[in-house]
Amino acid sequence: DAIEAAPADWIIVDMIWRSRAEVMTEQGMISWLGSWYPPEDAELVAQLKELSKRTGISAHGARRGGNSVILDGSRLGAEAIAADLECGRKWIIDTLKPKRDGLLDKPVVNLQIFKTLEGVREFGAKYKSSINIHDEDYYQRCLEAGEIRYGWMDLAINSANKPRWREAAVGRVAAGLMEFSWPRSFNAPLWLKMAVSHHAEYGVFKGKSSYFFVAPETPPSTLAEERRQLIILFESGEAPGLARLLVADDFTRMGPEDETMATVFLEFLLKKKFDDFHRYLYDGTVTGNAEKVFAATLGADPAQLERELAAWLGVEIDD
């Protein structure tokens, strides 16, 4: 009979065999591509249906807090990615302690992951007006690269072309949330965005950071490895100066050693100068340019902090 032919399609309710689809529908569940989504995901399912209609791509999705993931793959995969993003948010909240409530849920981040470059390009072509990209040169560069950044922290990527996209997404969300709470008249500095991204990855991916801004081909590393590398740089006199790093505003003019310095410097601030660092991040009463805010909140100039960082690592450097 029907139950023997497809046992997975039937369940026992009150000692009676009933069609799973019938029971799920009564509970308000929504069917999509062989999976059942809860009623609160009605908007997400509508997005999945619209994506299929516009591009022909049949995807699954998941939402965790303020993280919305659409994956050209399985629902379980989408749920795992959404969980990673949520962990990245929790790292920001628990570690940096921003002066904003509700950051687990807002701002909403939309992450779209496609299996092929063609998938990203099809998304870009069919959703161009929806994602509000008005710079045509930027839009074309995005399509060529297979990575479209839009909105506050939204991202559409080709997973096949970016093997570390999952780590990059977690880091991007973490850095974006830090910047979302940034009270300054100037943008959050690049060193801080890089360092926050790495530390969020350490927190989510068992102590390893895999995505590097300056040299993306760099193998995954741990914070201990970055620390050892900076010690070597200090001992050889080749460590990048903090004064330059703190105001750097162009990734193309930075090297891997700058990324190492930023990552370890953030660890130093979190462990040894957290109260001052928290003022630097969130005290909107301290005003001025980047250098003035840095000096006013951290209580020392970059040269002095560089000496303190080196001493914390067990290295003595000349004044």
Side-chain angles (χ1 to χ4, degrees), residues 43-255:
E43 182 182 348
L44 174 62
V45 175
Q47 291 176 340
L48 296 171
K49 291 179 177 179
E50 184 66 19
L51 177 68
S52 179
K53 179 180 176 181
R54 291 197 198 187
T55 67
I57 297 171
S58 297
H60 275 290
R63 282 191 173 174
R64 291 282 292 267
N67 309 296
S68 179
V69 174
I70 290 179
L71 174 68
D72 185 3
S74 70
R75 188 179 178 202
L76 285 176
E79 289 173 339
I81 297 163
D84 286 344
L85 298 182
E86 185 175 53
C87 286
R89 283 181 184 255
K90 287 179 178 177
W91 182 89
I92 286 288
I93 293 168
D94 295 341
T95 306
L96 300 188
K97 305 186 186 308
K99 292 183 175 181
R100 270 183 183 253
D101 294 327
L103 286 181
L104 272 180
D105 301 307
K106 294 180 180 179
V108 173
V109 175
N110 295 288
L111 177 61
Q112 335 261 350
I113 308 110
F114 299 97
K115 292 178 181 177
T116 64
L117 178 60
E118 289 71 24
V120 175
R121 290 175 174 171
E122 187 69 10
F123 170 82
K126 298 298 171 63
Y127 282 82
K128 184 180 179 182
S129 61
S130 304
I131 60 181
N132 294 319
I133 294 181
H134 304 293
D135 185 329
E136 188 62 28
D137 289 340
Y138 171 74
Y139 172 70
Q140 292 301 325
R141 289 197 303 272
C142 286
L143 293 187
E144 291 172 10
E147 180 175 325
I148 304 174
R149 297 179 179 229
Y150 63 99
W152 181 257
M153 294 183 287
D154 300 333
L155 183 65
I157 55 175
N158 165 23
S159 60
N161 193 44
K162 192 169 186 176
R164 301 178 189 173
W165 61 267
R166 192 161 174 170
E167 291 84 353
V170 167
R172 175 174 164 79
V173 168
L177 281 180
M178 179 275 298
E179 198 167 18
F180 183 71
S181 302
W182 182 254
R184 312 289 171 208
S185 58
F186 55 89
N187 292 332
L190 291 188
W191 76 266
L192 184 57
K193 294 179 186 178
M194 288 193 302
V196 165
S197 294
H198 287 308
H199 280 261
E201 287 185 53
Y202 295 139
V204 175
F205 297 106
K206 298 181 179 180
K208 283 198 173 184
S209 177
S210 297
Y211 182 76
F212 291 84
F213 292 80
V214 178
E217 70 281 359
T218 304
S221 73
T222 65
L223 186 52
E225 289 168 339
E226 293 299 304
R227 228 182 281 124
R228 285 193 292 270
Q229 180 59 31
L230 185 57
I231 290 172
I232 293 171
L233 290 169
F234 271 130
E235 290 178 339
S236 65
E238 297 177 356
L242 264 182
R244 181 185 64 81
L245 177 64
L246 296 177
V247 296
D249 60 1
D250 186 349
F251 282 126
T252 64
R253 298 183 180 180
M254 302 172 79

